[in-house]
Amino acid sequence: MGKVSTITDCDKEQVGGGPPERREGAPGGEQKDKKRKESILDLSKYLDKAIRVKFSGGREASGILKGFDQLLNLVLDNTIEYLRDPDDPYKLTEDTKERGLVVCRGTAVVLICPMDGCEAIANPFVQQET
């Protein structure tokens, strides 16, 4: 079998692909000035600080924030993943697994919180067994 290759968005720009309004000399006049999308969150104050991230699907991890972009892709170092209960995927166990340097995809991020000043509390909505 032969090697399969794909053209990424970066490659399209290099070979003149992509939307016509982004190419120089495109029919219809000058190149349109697109406003750069800005992130709704400013995570720069959390760079090189410990954060905890929750993902869609129930996974959780914590680590040192080393980088991010406007799509909320995160680079975490010294990452620890908190393992889930096999019977209940939304319940965490005490088990952890060290992951090291990871890139977290922004579309899967549900919650980001700093580890400083963060502590676990009992769920006030769970009825106590008597």
Side-chain angles (χ1 to χ4, degrees):
M1 294 220 160
K3 185 177 178 184
V4 177
S5 63
T6 59
I7 297 177
T8 63
D9 291 335
C10 295
D11 295 332
K12 287 179 187 176
E13 290 179 10
Q14 292 173 359
V15 297
E21 65 271 9
R22 292 184 60 191
R23 283 188 254 147
E24 290 183 33
E30 299 177 16
Q31 183 178 4
K32 290 184 181 177
D33 291 330
K34 286 187 132 184
K35 289 186 179 180
R36 187 174 175 103
K37 288 186 179 179
E38 293 185 23
S39 178
I40 6 180
L41 295 174
D42 181 23
L43 296 177
S44 59
K45 59 186 168 188
Y46 298 113
L47 283 172
D48 294 320
K49 294 192 171 111
I51 62 169
R52 187 160 181 149
V53 183
K54 291 187 181 188
F55 301 96
S56 57
R59 284 183 140 177
E60 292 188 33
S62 66
I64 308 297
L65 182 65
K66 292 295 183 180
F68 65 94
D69 64 8
Q70 71 270 14
L71 299 175
L72 228 53
N73 295 316
L74 307 173
V75 177
L76 298 177
D77 197 10
N78 300 326
T79 306
I80 298 172
E81 179 183 2
Y82 299 94
L83 301 178
R84 299 173 288 174
D85 186 349
D87 298 328
D88 184 3
Y90 291 99
K91 183 177 181 184
L92 294 177
T93 64
E94 297 296 321
D95 300 329
T96 61
K97 189 177 269 191
E98 291 188 24
R99 296 292 185 187
L101 184 66
V102 299
V103 176
C104 306
R105 186 168 172 122
T107 56
V109 173
V110 174
L111 179 126
I112 301 171
C113 66
M115 293 290 284
D116 292 338
C118 181
E119 67 180 62
I121 62 168
N123 186 346
F125 302 106
V126 174
Q127 294 191 359
Q128 300 291 331
E129 293 180 21
T130 55

